[in-house]
Amino acid sequence: MADAAPAPDSSLAPDSPPVSAATRPRRHRRRVEDWRPEDPEFWAAGGARTARRNLVLSVFCEHIGFSVWSLWSVLVLFLGPEYGVDPAGKFTLTAVPTLVGGALRLPYTVAVTVFGGRTWTVISAGLLLVPTALAAAVLRPGVSYSTLLLVAAVAGVGGGNFASSMANINAFYPQRLKGRALGVNAGGGNLGVPAVQLLGLLVLGTAGAGHPRLIVLVYIPLIVVAALAAALYMDDLGGARPPGRPLREVARQGHTWTVSLLYIGTFGSFIGFGFAFGQVLLVQFPDAFPTPVRAASLTFLGPLLGSLVRPVGGVLADRWGGARVTFWTFAGMAGGTAVVLAASRWGSLPLFLAGFVLLFVLSGVGNGSAFKMIPALHRAAARRAVEAGADPEAADRRAHRHANAVMGIAGAVGALGGVLINVAFRQAFLAGGSGEPAYLAFLAWYVLCMAVTWAVYVRRPDRV
């Protein structure tokens, strides 16, 4: 996804000395009016430093957002018999914030253009106080299930942060460094899932299952710090609002929905399994996991590995092509699901855990490779437009706007995979007390994604 460039600098390396004052980013009240990341002199004179500062704070805020989004995957482990919630009801509690978060990703993508990256990061971080404060207020035995469902739904605001954060960082970096920057941003945000699960394990192991509100109370000051840091140190990018309605424009393009389908298989698997895995262990292996503490001691491992390898998927896509890496990722995920299905039938816990860890790791790789296909597709479209006589600068701007829009749509649609996974588990355990029907459905989906990736992209590499 990164084009070759003569400039040797990196966003992660020390900046070169400024060339001249005229090349430095001009800032007024945390708003940068002149932003030219593709200009090597501008980038070396301070552009890289500005982009890096915004990236670090974006990762922090997105990380907190992911933690709040996945909060209920941990809180359901604290809902003992005194809460009166059965396993099917707990799977619903984890599915609802996934659905709301996915739906919010579209307006969050647009919000960056309307309000500015810094301004919207402050607003979206501040909104995280609502689900955390509500959870702290209502989490006690005797609370109605409908109240729990409503509060869980509000936690979906954390899921929208990913889309706005990615769109914002995409604007800060030059084309040659977008892949690395987006991979770091996404991977750091995804780490919010295992982080909140580790916190849940700590609370379960020390204070016990009777104190779920301790988890929420830890995050309230972190949210305040994130919002203040964004307000004080991030930047809005100035300039005229780009013409057109990119969301509407890309919605008419077939590749938008093809990539979104693939993202259901990668990101949907990551977030769906991350939310459901603890409950699956408790329900399917009750003898091995008689208490939530035992389950929580393992649930963080898969999301942690899946988050850490996400940038690896981008690097592999740079070398081998996003379509090829995504194709083989789905092949591996189909194999991992077959392992989980066999382990479920044989009652083998070690094999079951190995299969699920493989699914988490491959979903992380696939997240990186599938997402890197998006700007590659639009760069290829821009190249064809230039060959047909279009203005190169206008074609590049259009490709950038469209790539941002597709990131929002793919992120929203991909999150629906997390909803479907939790619903599949709920129905499977309700119907027969086993997750095997759900595993068969996942296997069929990965095979379908393999076929689509090969037919649309691997067989036609000129498209990407």
Side-chain angles (χ1 to χ4, degrees):
M1 174 178 172
D3 296 331
D9 59 288
S10 164
S11 66
L12 305 179
D15 302 323
S16 303
V19 178
S20 69
T23 63
R24 297 172 185 167
R26 295 198 299 271
R27 183 181 298 108
H28 177 67
R29 295 182 180 178
R30 309 312 309 179
R31 183 176 179 86
V32 179
E33 298 296 344
D34 177 33
W35 188 249
R36 294 172 280 113
E38 301 294 345
D39 181 348
E41 290 188 1
F42 176 90
W43 188 251
R49 184 170 59 251
T50 299
R52 185 169 55 246
R53 183 182 67 249
N54 281 271
L55 173 61
V56 169
L57 292 171
S58 174
V59 168
F60 178 46
C61 294
E62 186 192 345
H63 177 94
I64 301 298
F66 258 94
S67 293
V68 172
W69 193 25
S70 53
L71 189 63
W72 282 87
S73 70
V74 177
L75 293 180
V76 293
L77 300 177
F78 289 80
L79 303 183
E82 65 273 18
Y83 284 87
V85 183
D86 62 9
K90 292 179 181 180
F91 279 118
T92 303
L93 283 173
T94 56
V96 167
T98 315
L99 177 62
V100 175
L104 287 176
R105 286 185 166 190
L106 288 176
Y108 269 56
T109 300
V110 176
V112 171
T113 303
V114 175
F115 296 98
R118 166 188 168 271
T119 303
W120 183 250
T121 302
V122 174
I123 294 171
S124 60
L127 286 174
L128 300 175
L129 289 171
V130 178
T132 48
L134 287 175
V138 307
L139 269 175
R140 55 175 58 87
V143 62
S144 68
Y145 181 71
S146 58
T147 300
L148 293 177
L149 205 60
L150 178 62
V151 174
V154 178
V157 297
N161 288 23
F162 172 82
S164 56
S165 179
M166 293 294 275
N168 184 39
I169 293 304
N170 190 44
F172 271 96
Y173 276 81
Q175 198 67 46
R176 68 185 185 277
L177 298 177
K178 284 184 189 293
R180 182 187 308 173
L182 292 176
V184 170
N185 193 56
N190 288 173
L191 282 171
V193 180
V196 73
Q197 292 175 344
L198 279 170
L199 178 61
L201 172 62
L202 177 64
V203 173
L204 281 170
T206 55
H211 300 84
R213 285 185 289 178
L214 288 178
I215 301 174
V216 181
L217 294 175
V218 167
Y219 274 98
I220 289 176
L222 289 176
I223 293 168
V224 174
V225 170
L228 286 175
L232 294 174
Y233 300 110
M234 288 187 75
D235 300 293
D236 289 319
L237 293 183
R241 184 175 175 179
R245 297 185 177 181
L247 280 176
R248 181 178 297 181
E249 292 166 10
V250 299
R252 302 190 186 106
Q253 300 174 3
H255 288 301
T256 299
W257 304 107
T258 305
V259 174
S260 297
L261 181 146
L262 302 181
Y263 207 56
I264 289 176
T266 58
F267 180 75
S269 296
F270 171 81
I271 202 68
F273 292 146
F275 282 22
F277 190 42
Q279 274 299 110
V280 170
L281 291 177
L282 287 173
V283 176
Q284 190 148 352
F285 295 93
D287 295 334
F289 299 97
T291 65
V293 178
R294 292 287 297 276
S297 65
L298 290 174
T299 52
F300 75 92
L301 180 61
L304 175 63
L305 294 175
S307 300
L308 292 176
V309 302
R310 178 164 184 156
V312 175
V315 172
L316 293 174
D318 273 340
R319 182 169 183 178
W320 303 106
R324 287 183 182 178
V325 175
T326 303
F327 173 82
W328 288 110
T329 295
F330 282 126
M333 293 180 75
T337 307
V339 170
V340 170
L341 179 60
S344 178
R345 290 180 174 175
W346 299 338
S348 171
L349 178 59
L351 192 61
F352 187 84
L353 294 175
F356 253 108
V357 168
L358 180 61
L359 285 173
F360 274 113
V361 170
L362 290 173
S363 69
V365 173
N367 282 341
S369 63
F371 223 71
K372 291 196 68 166
M373 289 171 63
I374 295 172
L377 283 165
H378 290 281
R379 279 208 312 277
R383 188 165 54 246
R384 289 193 294 270
V386 171
E387 291 170 354
D391 176 64
E393 187 175 345
D396 284 344
R397 287 198 302 267
R398 185 171 186 269
H400 174 77
R401 293 198 309 272
H402 283 187
N404 265 359
V406 175
M407 285 179 186
I409 292 176
V413 176
L416 294 179
V419 180
L420 296 174
I421 282 176
N422 279 274
V423 170
F425 277 130
R426 180 183 185 277
Q427 294 307 117
F429 286 119
L430 271 179
S434 169
E436 291 179 16
Y439 305 138
L440 286 171
F442 305 153
L443 178 59
W445 184 260
Y446 298 143
V447 171
L448 172 65
C449 289
M450 278 178 60
V452 170
T453 306
W454 180 84
V456 180
Y457 299 117
V458 177
R459 196 164 57 95
R460 293 285 306 277
D462 57 296
R463 292 177 173 175
V464 289

